[in-house]
Amino acid sequence: MYRCMGRNSRGLVERTITLSPGRKPEIINRYNSPVSIVNGEQLLLHCLTSGEPLRLSWTLPSAVVLNRPQRAGRYAVLPNGTLSIQQVSVYDRGSYICRAANEYGSSQLSVSVIIIAYPPRITNGPPSVTYAKQGVAVQLNCVATGIPRVEVAWETPDKTRLAVSAQPRLFGNKYLHPQGSLIIQNPTQRDAGVYRCTARNAIGVDSKATVLNVF
């Protein structure tokens, strides 16, 4: 504390000034282990500081730097310093660095992010050979799992691609169930041949084929 005093024959005046050393901002939250998140969800990475830094920024694994506040596509740095990423994908994995700085120095926080994702796997597929009787409906199963969401499609003997959707679909005498099953109604010799089910997502592909014999 500094005190300045002025005096003359008419009186006294004084002013007090408190001087404190400047401090660099400190990041007060820590991530002691990697952050895991399921593909497609929203990711929030916090960067809480003591005091109010003049500059706060996040460096992405791609080396792109985002300042606060800023929005760029799926990425946003919020006014409180939190990094928000909408619909994370496997390409968002890696190390994120928050840097808080002022005229006295800077502090940084590093966060490792792991994206939980699994390649497609057909858990209930058709056998290698399927036998059907003419006029009697036959069902070919194709149930698949995976993260991100798996897209399932069938390829018929004439190379037609039938994509599974959220609603049941009818292609001639072929009924496609939302869960992936292909039901051939009133099969004839023209329906015989190789049917292939393919499950695909951003991670990989799995497929199973069956030879349909109609007698």
Side-chain angles (χ1 to χ4, degrees), residues 149-152 163-169 171 175-180:
R149 187 177 64 85
V150 175
E151 295 179 353
V152 176
V164 175
S165 66
Q167 300 296 327
R169 306 178 71 183
F171 303 88
Y175 173 83
L176 193 56
H177 193 274
Q179 292 186 345

Side-chain angles (χ1 to χ4, degrees), residues 58-69:
W58 280 94
T59 302
L60 310 184
S62 61
V64 171
V65 177
L66 298 178
N67 297 310
R68 178 189 62 172

Side-chain angles (χ1 to χ4, degrees), residues 131-142:
Y131 297 95
K133 187 175 181 180
Q134 290 196 51
V136 179
V138 60
Q139 178 172 318
L140 306 178
N141 292 324
C142 187

Side-chain angles (χ1 to χ4, degrees), residues 15-86:
R15 178 70 58 84
T16 300
I17 298 176
T18 300
L19 179 64
S20 59
R23 295 180 179 178
K24 69 177 184 179
E26 296 293 339
I27 299 175
I28 58 179
N29 68 299
R30 293 292 166 190
Y31 290 90
N32 297 321
S33 59
V35 175
S36 300
I37 186 169
V38 175
N39 188 98
E41 293 187 350
Q42 180 189 17
L43 174 64
L44 294 174
L45 297 178
H46 303 293
C47 188
L48 306 177
T49 61
S50 60
E52 183 66 18
L54 296 179
R55 298 176 301 279
L56 189 146
S57 64
W58 280 94
T59 302
L60 310 184
S62 61
V64 171
V65 177
L66 298 178
N67 297 310
R68 178 189 62 172
Q70 184 177 358
R71 181 175 297 276
R74 296 183 298 113
Y75 304 89
V77 181
L78 307 180
N80 65 356
T82 295
L83 174 65
S84 169
I85 305 176
Q86 301 289 334

Side-chain angles (χ1 to χ4, degrees), residues 120-201:
R121 185 169 68 90
I122 297 175
T123 56
N124 182 11
S128 57
V129 179
T130 302
Y131 297 95
K133 187 175 181 180
Q134 290 196 51
V136 179
V138 60
Q139 178 172 318
L140 306 178
N141 292 324
C142 187
V143 178
T145 61
I147 299 174
R149 187 177 64 85
V150 175
E151 295 179 353
V152 176
W154 281 93
E155 183 182 276
T156 64
D158 62 0
K159 304 302 180 184
T160 299
R161 183 178 183 274
L162 309 179
V164 175
S165 66
Q167 300 296 327
R169 306 178 71 183
L170 189 63
F171 303 88
N173 69 329
K174 297 176 179 63
Y175 173 83
L176 193 56
H177 193 274
Q179 292 186 345
S181 299
L182 179 65
I183 301 171
I184 303 172
Q185 306 173 89
N186 300 316
T188 66
Q189 289 294 335
R190 291 181 299 178
D191 296 308
V194 177
Y195 289 79
R196 180 176 297 276
C197 169
T198 301
R200 183 188 309 270
N201 69 7

